[in-house]
Each structure stands twice: as structure tokens, then as C-alpha cells.
Amino acid sequence: MNLLEVLNLILPELLLVFGAMAILVLGVTLKAEGAGLAPLIGITLLLLALMLVAAAGGAQTDLFDGAFRLDAFSSFSKIIIFAAAAFAIILSQRSPGSEQLARFEYSALIVLASFGMALMVSANDLIALYMGIETQSLALYVLAAFNRDSRRSTEAGLKYFVLGALSSGLLLYGASLIYGFTGSMSFDDISQVLANGAGPGLVIGLVFLISGLAFKVSAAPFHMWTPDVYEGAPTPVTAFFAAAPKFAAMALFARALVSPFPDIMDDWQPVIAMIAVASMLVGSFSAIMQTNIKRLMAYSSIGHMGFALVGLSAGTVDGVSGVLIYMAIYVVMTIGVFACILLMRRQGGVTEKISDLAGLKETDTGLALTMTVLFFSLAGVPPMGGFFGKLFVFSAAIEAGLIWLAVVGLLISAVAAFYYLRVIWIIWFSDPAPAFERERGRRLTFISRSSAFMMFPALLFLIAPLQTFAGRAANALF
């Protein structure tokens, strides 16, 4: 393969990294005008990269001596990631001035983080995996503390950085053990070495690797950073954290387990199942006590990662396909909910208390209906989108013989439904709180209502093509 062919294959990533550099140069050169142009440039870059990935068709190709693999799985993941990142920039356009997102660095960091996530989902060896994670993480650490005048935001960035460094250490230690016992960094070579089984040393390394990846998806017991970072970071940044990086990390989780370790699934399957149960329990029971809606969404995220890991526990094509469908639906729901949170404004500023939604049906019926649909979907109430996501992952677990895990997931879903329904009850049956601002961005209203529409009834028509594309992507790993 000549240089021009390689450059053509990595054109989406080149576009993002050089585009981010261009945003920085323009921002420094044009000052205020650069800050105004940066979001438009960032969104354009992400959409162009998305179209280039879609146009490539998902044909399998190995690059850089097999360190990165372009296939249907990476293409599906990149399309979701780039779309979610573009929406994160759009959400920032109506962010209050107190969150200080009207700076050119914000768009540049989103684009750079997206570049890191593109590397993550294409990684085909342990070094490429780590490089992608760190490229993404460095941008996310800065984004978490982007509002440097806010004590909460600074604290969120510091906590994320310190705990992120710990998770990187766990991941690197696990990778070093795997390399030591297999003699290779390549997923393909590792798979061949392990065809005859694995010794206890390698299994320990795999557990450390799983621990580092579990931190990235905020799965319990590696979830400690999530509530504080979600609450402290500017709201559009929190929306970004809850969508694109979560999808990228879960996609990497699937590739890092299925590609190199298919022959020792009996060793890692119980670990993933235990993490799934712990995440579902921690997320569901901790969310019940929350009064801040961003912290509620943080614990909701932990719980949802547990449900997604149920599909990964199956270790089958249907399981990975279920994870991709679940995460795609989750990204849409999450962006819609955070668009609604950004609409929760009064003259005194932004409000994040769940109690401020009291009687919303009387003060803003449109927003009340939108949040109701999205929260029903998060709860997994049929025929909403969240129901289909859980249906696919639980079905995969049952087909793989993990009936007990599916039953536990169903029981915990009933608990999780309580705190979602509590918010809906407050919206429809409590005495009205003061109304939110009437004058607000049409973009946020459009995004939130579009997300709700995609959960119901549009998803009834979209679920079949989504299942087809996710199945094709999952097959690429096997």
C-alpha cells in the first residue's frame, strides 16, 4: 500500500487533527472573531469526517503494520462519535456566559478528543489502544475544568485527572503483563497465542486491563469520578462526556476483549458480568437519593453502562450488536436530556435542581412532554427506544446462557424506573415552580424534541436499519 492510499484511508483523522490546529491558529490570530468562527469550523470538520467515514463503506483494512484496523465496526462507531461531538458544540452555543464556553479552545478540544476517540475504536494493538485513550483523555481533562473561574469546574477537572492517571496506570500494568506472557502487542497475535488457553499471570493482566477500561465507561466500582465531574463541568461538556466518550470507550471495550481474547472468554466473562451487576446496582440505588439533575444523570449513566455490559458479557455477535444498538440509543437520549437541562433557566441564572421541574406541565407543556418521553425511554418503558436497547442486550445474554444476569438486569430495571418516574411525577403532579425563561435558543428546543421523536415513534422505523448496521459492525470483530 503506497503513501497516497494510506493518506486517503486516514483522511477523516487527518482532517480532524489539522482542523483543530487551524482553529487554534485562527483563534489566536483573530481573537473575538476567531471565537465566533470556531464552533462553525468545528461542526463542519466533524460532519465532513463523518461523511468521509460513511463513504468509505466499512471495508476492512489494516494500517501501520496492523496497529490500526479500519472496518465496519470502527466506521459505525466513528459515525456515532462524530455526530455526538458535533451536537456537543451546538449545545454550547446557548450555554450561559458564566460557564465561559464562548472561547475558540472549546471547539478545538472537542475536535481533538474526537480524533482520539477515532484512534480508540480503530486500535488493533495495545500501544495503539493506549495512545487513543490518552489522546482523548488529555482533551477531556481540560474540558472538565474549562470554566476556570468556577471552583466546581476546577475540582471536577482535578478529580478526573488524578483518577484518570490511576486508571491509565492500571491499564498499562495489565498491558505489560499481557505482553510479557504472550510476547506481542498485536490483538491478532495475542489471539493466536491464546488459542490453547491462558495461564494465571495473563488472566491477572487481563483483569487489570479490564479495570482500566471500566474506568473509561464509568462502570462500578471504578465510577467514583462520575457524579462530581458531571455536576462540576459546564453542562454542554457534561453532555459530551455522557455521549461520545462513553460510546467510544464501550466500543473499545468490545474490541479489546473480543478480538484478542475470544478463546479465553470463560476467564473474562464472569468479570464483565460482575462489573455489569455492580454498575446496575450502584447506578440505580444511588440515583434515588439525588436532588441535582446532573448528578442524577451521572448515576443513570453508571447504571446504563451496566446494562450495556450485559450484552458484552455474552461475548457473541448478537451481544456486541446489542451493545452498539444500546449505546447508539443511549447517546440520542442523553443529548436530548441535556438539551432539556440547558433549557432550565430563569432570570437568576441556570438551575439544576430536580424540584425546579415541579409543575412544568403548566408552565412549559412542550418541555414537559419532551422530558417525559426521554425519561420514559431512559427507564426502558415500551415502546420507547430504551426498551429496545435493553431487549437486545438481555436477549443476547439469555442466548449465551447467562439467564441469571438477564433476570438480575430486569429486576434492577424496575428499581431504576422509580427515579425516572419520580421526575415525571414532579413534572406532571406537583405544584408549579416559577416558570423558566421563554426566550431561549431554538436549536436546543429542536435538538431535545428531535431526540424525543427519535425515541418514539421514529425509532419504530429506524430500529430495523440500526439493527442491520450494528450487526454488520459486530460481525467485523468475529
Side-chain angles (χ1 to χ4, degrees):
M1 188 179 296
N2 60 44
L3 180 60
L4 286 177
E5 290 175 328
V6 173
L7 292 176
N8 184 56
L9 288 169
I10 61 172
L11 188 57
E13 287 79 9
L14 291 176
L15 183 67
L16 292 180
V17 72
F18 285 112
M21 298 301 106
I23 292 173
L24 293 175
V25 171
L26 285 173
V28 172
T29 305
L30 301 179
K31 306 296 183 184
E33 292 180 9
L37 286 172
L40 178 61
I41 296 172
I43 293 168
T44 303
L45 289 169
L46 289 163
L47 293 180
L48 284 174
L50 186 155
M51 289 187 286
L52 288 170
V53 170
Q60 182 170 313
T61 309
D62 287 349
L63 298 173
F64 305 111
D65 200 24
F68 294 95
R69 174 164 293 168
L70 305 181
D71 54 18
F73 182 85
S74 64
S75 296
F76 181 92
S77 301
K78 288 175 188 177
I79 288 170
I80 302 294
I81 290 164
F82 295 159
F87 277 111
I89 297 178
I90 295 171
L91 292 179
S92 71
Q93 299 307 289
R94 280 291 294 171
S95 180
S98 61
E99 293 190 329
Q100 297 189 4
L101 295 184
R103 302 207 299 263
F104 68 87
E105 295 96 331
Y106 176 77
S107 298
L109 288 167
I110 293 284
V111 173
L112 284 172
S114 301
F115 167 69
M117 286 181 261
L119 298 183
M120 286 168 60
V121 298
S122 296
N124 196 46
D125 74 15
L126 295 171
I127 293 177
L129 175 151
Y130 180 71
M131 185 172 70
I133 286 177
E134 290 306 302
T135 303
Q136 171 213 240
S137 297
L138 289 172
L140 296 186
Y141 297 150
V142 181
L143 282 169
F146 200 81
N147 185 5
R148 58 193 178 198
D149 293 333
S150 166
R151 181 177 178 181
R152 287 199 314 171
S153 182
T154 305
E155 180 183 351
L158 182 60
K159 284 182 178 179
Y160 192 28
F161 173 73
V162 171
L163 293 174
L166 174 63
S167 76
S168 294
L170 293 174
L171 189 145
L172 281 174
Y173 184 60
S176 67
L177 287 175
I178 292 169
Y179 172 70
F181 284 99
T182 62
S184 178
M185 290 285 187
S186 169
F187 289 173
D188 296 335
D189 293 342
I190 292 171
S191 177
Q192 292 177 6
V193 171
L194 298 181
N196 298 319
L202 187 137
V203 173
I204 293 171
L206 181 56
V207 169
F208 275 101
L209 181 71
I210 289 172
S211 299
L213 293 174
F215 174 91
K216 301 302 178 185
V217 297
S218 68
F222 308 99
H223 65 284
M224 299 79 68
W225 60 275
T226 314
D228 291 334
V229 172
Y230 271 49
E231 182 182 12
T235 304
V237 173
T238 305
F240 179 61
F241 280 11
K246 285 290 177 69
F247 188 99
M250 190 60 74
L252 176 62
F253 217 145
R255 187 185 283 279
L257 287 181
V258 171
S259 293
F261 305 109
D263 295 306
I264 59 168
M265 190 176 76
D266 290 342
D267 291 313
W268 59 258
Q269 188 181 63
V271 179
I272 300 298
M274 288 188 291
I275 292 175
V277 172
S279 301
M280 290 186 289
L281 287 171
V282 170
S284 298
F285 284 97
S286 299
I288 293 173
M289 302 176 287
Q290 302 307 312
T291 58
N292 181 291
I293 195 163
K294 287 170 71 175
R295 290 186 73 88
L296 174 72
M297 289 303 297
Y299 285 109
S300 169
S301 170
I302 295 165
H304 279 287
M305 294 308 103
F307 290 118
L309 288 172
V310 170
L312 184 57
S313 300
T316 61
V317 173
D318 288 341
V320 175
S321 175
V323 171
L324 293 176
I325 294 170
Y326 192 100
M327 292 303 299
I329 294 171
Y330 172 76
V331 166
V332 176
M333 292 188 296
T334 300
I335 289 173
V337 170
F338 277 99
C340 291
I341 293 172
L342 283 165
L343 292 173
M344 294 169 56
R345 298 188 189 178
R346 297 201 180 98
Q347 295 299 326
V350 179
T351 177
E352 298 173 359
K353 293 182 179 179
I354 296 173
S355 58
D356 290 317
L357 293 169
L360 186 62
K361 71 176 179 65
E362 296 184 16
T363 57
D364 194 332
T365 307
L367 182 59
L369 286 170
T370 301
M371 294 195 77
T372 299
V373 170
L374 291 171
F375 272 84
F376 270 135
S377 187
L378 285 168
V381 175
M384 303 297 179
F387 166 76
F388 288 101
K390 290 181 179 177
L391 175 66
F392 285 116
V393 294
F394 289 159
S395 298
I398 291 170
E399 290 174 6
L402 298 173
I403 298 174
W404 69 271
L405 184 58
V407 171
V408 171
L410 286 170
L411 293 175
I412 298 176
S413 293
V415 177
F418 171 77
Y419 59 84
Y420 294 122
L421 295 176
R422 180 170 66 94
V423 175
I424 295 171
W425 175 273
I426 290 171
I427 289 173
W428 290 93
F429 300 106
S430 296
D431 294 331
F436 298 130
E437 285 183 3
R438 289 292 180 183
E439 295 183 6
R440 51 181 180 243
R442 294 180 181 178
R443 295 175 192 169
L444 293 179
T445 303
F446 177 77
I447 290 171
S448 60
R449 293 183 181 179
S450 297
S451 299
F453 180 73
M454 288 183 69
M455 292 301 101
F456 175 79
L459 193 76
L460 297 176
F461 302 98
L462 295 174
I463 195 67
L466 178 61
Q467 188 178 7
T468 300
F469 291 130
R472 189 181 305 162
N475 270 308
L477 294 187
F478 293 84

